[in-house]
Amino acid sequence: MIIREFSIKDYDALITLWNDAQLLFKPKGRDKRDKIECELKQKNAIFLVAEINGKLIGSVFGTHDGRKGWINRLAVVPEFQRQNIAKKLIAEVEDRFSELGIDIIACLVEDWNAKSLQVFEKLRYKKHSDIVYFSKRKNSDI
């Protein structure tokens, strides 16, 4: 397995990966090809994929605001889950954030997503049940 930077050429394979992993995504909004392509050009994007024999089996998107890093879009196809692939993807993003001097890394996990909650708890991320999340969206596709 190799972990490498995501390229927009991987987009269709990424969507297949997300579907296989049952990761909810917004194909008409933030996860549209052109939106992701635009994000890739930003200096704050660390988009990685795990690959075996040319097939994408995992993904993680990292972004940062200069102070705090955020982990998003973590997914591993079911047949490769429980093989530390998510752990390796997260570790790679953490290392890259560290190289940038970013010492706080966060993620948002919906309470129904038991698998992701377990992954982050196992990796010693602290759960904050005292934080209320607000968002404002132009529409529900974003």
Side-chain angles (χ1 to χ4, degrees):
M1 180 194 77
I2 62 166
I3 293 176
R4 64 172 175 80
E5 292 186 10
F6 169 80
S7 164
I8 199 62
K9 294 178 214 166
D10 298 316
Y11 182 81
D12 293 334
L14 178 71
I15 297 304
T16 298
L17 159 67
W18 287 351
N19 279 320
D20 290 348
Q22 300 178 349
L23 178 70
L24 301 177
F25 63 98
K26 303 281 189 169
K28 295 180 182 175
R30 66 177 177 239
D31 297 318
K32 261 185 358 186
R33 181 186 196 102
D34 63 336
K35 291 275 191 183
I36 291 176
E37 187 170 22
C38 183
E39 285 183 62
L40 280 172
K41 296 174 185 171
Q42 305 302 314
K43 292 180 181 177
N44 68 335
I46 302 170
F47 291 3
L48 304 173
V49 291
E51 178 182 80
I52 292 180
N53 297 324
K55 180 184 178 188
L56 297 190
I57 60 160
S59 72
V60 66
F61 286 5
T63 57
H64 67 86
D65 61 11
R67 305 180 323 131
K68 183 184 289 183
W70 289 93
I71 293 177
N72 299 287
R73 317 314 287 148
L74 177 66
V76 176
V77 294
E79 60 265 30
F80 290 96
Q81 291 176 2
R82 300 197 175 275
Q83 297 180 32
N84 289 320
I85 294 167
K87 178 180 178 179
K88 291 175 184 175
L89 284 164
I90 291 168
E92 183 64 27
V93 171
E94 290 173 341
D95 288 347
R96 292 183 186 213
F97 283 146
S98 182
E99 290 171 8
L100 296 169
I102 295 170
D103 297 324
I104 300 170
I105 303 170
C107 62
L108 297 173
V109 179
E110 293 165 315
D111 62 359
W112 56 262
N113 191 338
K115 286 183 182 179
S116 289
L117 291 170
Q118 289 173 349
V119 167
F120 286 102
E121 287 173 352
K122 184 178 178 183
L123 295 176
R124 299 180 309 164
Y125 278 71
K126 182 180 182 216
K127 182 178 179 182
H128 294 272
S129 56
D130 58 336
I131 294 174
V132 178
Y133 172 69
F134 289 90
S135 71
K136 186 175 184 180
R137 300 167 193 254
K138 288 183 181 180
N139 63 60
S140 61
D141 290 333
I142 297 175

